[in-house]
Amino acid sequence: MLEGIEYSQGEEREDFVGFKIKPKIVVYPKNEEEIVKIVNYARETRTPIVTWGAGTSLSGHLMCDGCILLDMSKYMNKIIEINEIDWYAHVQPGVNLEYLNKELNKKGFFFPPDPASFFLCTVGGATANSSGGMRGVKYGTFRDWVLALKVVLPNGKVIKLGEPLRKNRGGYDLVHLFVGSEGTLGIITEIWLRITPLPRKKIYTVLAYMKSLEDTAETIIELRKRRILPEISEYIDIDVIRALNKNLNAGLKESEGGAFIISVEEDYLDELKDILKEREYIIAEGEEAEKIYSIRAQSAIALRAESKYMFVEDIVVPVSKLIDAIKRLKEIERKYNVRMPVIAHIGDGNLHPNIMLSDTSLAEQIFEEVAKIAIELGGSISGEHGIGYQKAKLLAEQIVSHNGEEVLKIMKGIKDLIDPYDIMNPNKYVELAYKLWEKK
Amino acid sequence: MLEGIEYSQGEEREDFVGFKIKPKIVVYPKNEEEIVKIVNYARETRTPIVTWGAGTSLSGHLMCDGCILLDMSKYMNKIIEINEIDWYAHVQPGVNLEYLNKELNKKGFFFPPDPASFFLCTVGGATANSSGGMRGVKYGTFRDWVLALKVVLPNGKVIKLGEPLRKNRGGYDLVHLFVGSEGTLGIITEIWLRITPLPRKKIYTVLAYMKSLEDTAETIIELRKRRILPEISEYIDIDVIRALNKNLNAGLKESEGGAFIISVEEDYLDELKDILKEREYIIAEGEEAEKIYSIRAQSAIALRAESKYMFVEDIVVPVSKLIDAIKRLKEIERKYNVRMPVIAHIGDGNLHPNIMLSDTSLAEQIFEEVAKIAIELGGSISGEHGIGYQKAKLLAEQIVSHNGEEVLKIMKGIKDLIDPYDIMNPNKYVELAYKLWEKK
């Protein structure tokens, strides 16, 4: 059934944080027709399908043992069209996000969501995960920018969801159901993304050395009260700064309180200077600003170079609860005497404490305790990395405590409705959350 | 079962465009608890529930004969909280949109989506319909601004969907499934809306008298090519101008080619003047600009005053297909010799030709022909008014031709999953579309 389709056997892979992928077979489809064949084969043999873009997944989305691994990066990696009148980019899922943005930039456009892995990741992976990034504070995440999708359903039928239009009331919104569905509902084969003109206003990037993470959180609250909307608003602590200096020659000052990186339109600059007045800071633009942005983007890579044991947390709390969350994080750090460097999209309350610990079971325990801070403060266990295998139990807890058991049932009902064969990235995310909750 | 709940019997209503609502009973709930009781009663007696906000519906969403009409406007009309740090407004569904914005403005914020009925409509109605408006060209529609919802499900259980957070990966995105679900999945009892600071930049509104609708479309394409992103970008034709002058003393020039109303940040103004150079225009700001905006918002009311026979179309086409769409509209006008004044959010390809015809069956035929222009040009039969009863058949056609039959089946499957009792605004929208398609 798979004749004519390129494949390899006996190949094992590892994702960015070390989760193991042990496929029965890796297939390299060249087009939608081949993907339909693969899905039909999977359904008939009840073999799980997992889709690989660039392997930058952070929550065990790709883990499998005996699956068909559908590698989109080899052939399904083209830009189909950039439409300069209708303002969309139409792409295949395996296209690299940085490459897409470079092509858009040439025409005066950009695609705002920028996961830190933008130079590695694929648009398909980031769509399936509804990824965020630094610009999220202003521009939101992938779900705010995906207009339409082409999908091969588990039953082998090809559908299109949405239209490449900003406005469309054509039935229930299924586009948003598939964005962030983590490969559990179907195989995305084409994506239409909304694009927007490059900003015309001058943007300045300020790199400020802060007194502490709390000090930075207080600054964020001050910015909110003054109704300043930054382009990006990031924090890295001293531990991350040291890793960046050591492993990537970043040349940052090793200031105990960490660094706050904020970009604003020029109209906001004076007010920002006023807010930051007692801290040491530099103001950058153009290439120098790009360099700061790129250093920040590589923070996780710098940490990863220090240890292969790294549990990447991704909690969100309401901005008004940032100080409480930080206090609770510090308590956990003290209690376990664990190294937990913090990278944060602090402007939208999205914190990434990274648990660096070789004792996996203790790391998992700490990981859960951190996630529970978010649940207790009315936040979310994931802002942008998703659930995958790793956070399914926490997802069940969050949904049951915040949303109600019925919500978990509806989500499971939707999975069963669309994938009754249970072949699409099974036993993860919503499905696993439901199983774990049901067992209780 | 409904004891203690305020109600009236024998009351009949009509929506903005004249669709008839003949409820068995009208209930005026005071809180969520009462709504749960009403839903339980509806389920047990299998009585349809239709929710009323302000009756500004345009596609027969509220039509019923023998339903329970749940009127949210009498008691469930409060702002619960405006959070100036987390940047959200938490409201009850019956709150008036203009009132909400006035309260937000006092604190330096606003909520961008602005259906032309903003001064009449409720937030709940606009959420259920994912309404758009003039600012849609820059800020999108309700679906881009709803963060979280509280809902009473058909089974009587109360759930919360989403969190008042910009970033949240807590399972499948059900918020977007309920936004725009037109009352067919559950009763919305609370809404958390994202809010944003009032713009700091000076904004100018230009009112230009154009050569024609085509001339305006060409101007829009020119703006797109130059990557100018306006705040609003509207068109009204000569027929609408006359109605505004006659019925609302608008004092507009009765120019044959109609009027283009566009607002831009000051940085764009010189370029805009250059594009408009051969047309007569005025530049307004502040109160004068507000007045122009308000005249535009009342266009449909001015037309309605001319005739009670008004079929309001709401097609969207890709901006690159605007000229084709206009040609096709003119052909229909000529073919039937029908009066069809055009109001348009022209900047995003959203056209509202209004069919003014007392011959209902001919009007319906024309209505369908207009909608088919959108289907054939890769657009949508609705940008912001929704489907309701009126457009269900067209919805089936659009989905089957653009998206695939499977999409209609999935939508129907979701309706059955969440409302197996078929009590929530039944026999409209997705459910009716499915029935009509199945019968063929």
Side-chain angles (χ1 to χ4, degrees), chain A residues 232-407:
Chain A
I232 70 167
S233 175
E234 301 289 311
Y235 176 80
I236 47 176
D237 75 5
I238 173 65
D239 211 348
V240 179
I241 292 176
R242 284 198 193 109
L244 281 162
N245 284 347
K246 190 175 150 203
N247 304 308
L248 299 166
N249 282 316
L252 297 169
K253 186 181 151 186
E254 298 192 358
S255 157
E256 275 306 316
F260 177 41
I261 299 160
I262 175 164
S263 300
V264 291
E265 287 181 1
E266 53 186 331
D267 317 26
Y268 290 123
L269 191 62
D270 286 338
E271 209 172 342
L272 180 61
K273 282 185 196 166
D274 179 51
I275 291 169
L276 291 173
K277 58 185 175 292
E278 284 161 35
R279 289 84 169 180
E280 187 188 333
Y281 60 80
I282 57 160
I283 300 175
E285 51 169 322
E287 268 183 39
E288 201 192 347
E290 280 298 314
K291 205 190 135 195
I292 295 171
Y293 178 91
S294 149
I295 287 170
R296 160 61 191 89
Q298 292 177 76
S299 301
I301 290 177
L303 285 179
R304 185 87 169 88
E306 306 253 297
S307 167
K308 62 173 190 160
Y309 300 102
M310 177 166 147
F311 282 73
V312 186
E313 258 297 359
D314 172 39
I315 60 171
V316 191
V317 295
V319 168
S320 60
K321 298 282 169 64
L322 265 173
I323 307 283
D324 297 327
I326 292 163
K327 271 188 200 143
R328 302 273 304 268
L329 276 178
K330 300 280 170 199
E331 279 165 23
I332 293 173
E333 247 180 329
R334 271 195 302 273
K335 179 170 148 194
Y336 294 102
N337 191 27
V338 62
R339 184 183 168 198
M340 203 156 68
V342 172
I343 302 170
H345 303 303
I346 191 145
D348 44 24
N350 189 189
L351 305 170
H352 300 307
N354 295 280
I355 302 152
M356 313 294 277
L357 208 59
S358 59
D359 178 346
T360 314
S361 84
L362 180 60
E364 274 168 11
Q365 188 184 328
I366 297 172
F367 190 80
E368 277 196 25
E369 282 191 35
V370 171
K372 282 177 188 172
I373 297 174
I375 298 178
E376 285 165 31
L377 294 177
S380 179
I381 57 164
S382 176
E384 50 184 28
H385 295 175
I387 304 302
Y389 180 80
Q390 195 180 23
K391 284 195 163 171
K393 191 177 136 217
L394 289 162
L395 178 64
E397 279 191 46
Q398 174 169 321
I399 292 177
V400 171
S401 76
H402 287 195
N403 309 101
E405 296 176 358
E406 286 298 306
V407 173

Side-chain angles (χ1 to χ4, degrees), chain A residues 84-87 107-109 129-130 133 136-141 143-144 153 155 157 159-163 165-174 176-177 180-182 184-185 197 200-201 221 224-229 265 267-268 271 316-320 345 348 350 378-380 382-384 386-387 395 398-399 402-403 406-407 410-411 413-415 417-418 429-430, chain B residues 84-87 107-109 129-130 133 136-141 143-144 153 155 157 159-163 165-174 176-177 180-182 184-185 197 200-201 221 224-229 265 267-268 271 316-320 345 348 350 378-380 382-384 386-387 395 398-399 402-403 406-407 410-411 413-415 417-418 429-430:
Chain A
E84 295 173 69
I85 295 175
D86 295 323
W87 291 8
K107 295 173 190 288
F109 291 94
N129 200 42
S130 192
V137 67
K138 177 158 181 179
Y139 293 98
T141 63
R143 75 172 166 203
D144 297 300
L153 289 172
N155 64 10
K157 302 268 172 73
I159 59 168
K160 188 180 158 204
L161 298 172
E163 304 293 342
L165 301 167
R166 184 86 196 260
K167 275 176 159 177
N168 175 19
R169 281 296 326 284
Y172 292 149
D173 183 347
L174 301 185
H176 282 92
L177 193 64
S181 64
E182 302 190 0
T184 64
L185 299 178
R200 294 193 179 196
K201 268 135 221 146
I221 291 168
R224 288 282 185 133
K225 284 185 185 163
R226 295 204 198 191
R227 300 188 301 282
I228 295 175
L229 180 58
E265 287 181 1
D267 317 26
Y268 290 123
E271 209 172 342
V316 191
V317 295
V319 168
S320 60
H345 303 303
D348 44 24
N350 189 189
S380 179
S382 176
E384 50 184 28
I387 304 302
L395 178 64
Q398 174 169 321
I399 292 177
H402 287 195
N403 309 101
E406 286 298 306
V407 173
I410 292 172
M411 288 181 183
I414 289 174
K415 166 74 175 166
L417 175 72
I418 298 175
Y429 195 31
V430 163
Chain B
E84 295 173 70
I85 296 175
D86 295 322
W87 290 8
K107 296 172 189 288
F109 292 94
N129 200 40
S130 193
V137 66
K138 176 158 181 181
Y139 293 98
T141 63
R143 76 171 166 204
D144 297 301
L153 289 173
N155 64 11
K157 301 270 172 72
I159 58 168
K160 187 180 157 202
L161 298 172
E163 305 292 343
L165 301 167
R166 183 88 197 256
K167 277 176 158 176
N168 175 20
R169 281 296 327 284
Y172 293 148
D173 184 346
L174 301 186
H176 282 90
L177 192 64
S181 63
E182 302 189 0
T184 63
L185 299 177
R200 295 195 180 195
K201 266 136 223 146
I221 291 168
R224 287 282 185 134
K225 283 184 183 162
R226 296 204 197 190
R227 301 188 300 283
I228 294 175
L229 179 58
E265 287 181 1
D267 317 28
Y268 290 123
E271 209 171 340
V316 191
V317 295
V319 169
S320 60
H345 304 302
D348 43 25
N350 190 187
S380 179
S382 175
E384 50 184 28
I387 304 303
L395 178 65
Q398 174 168 322
I399 292 177
H402 288 195
N403 308 101
E406 285 299 305
V407 172
I410 292 172
M411 288 180 184
I414 288 173
K415 166 75 176 167
L417 175 72
I418 297 174
Y429 197 29
V430 163

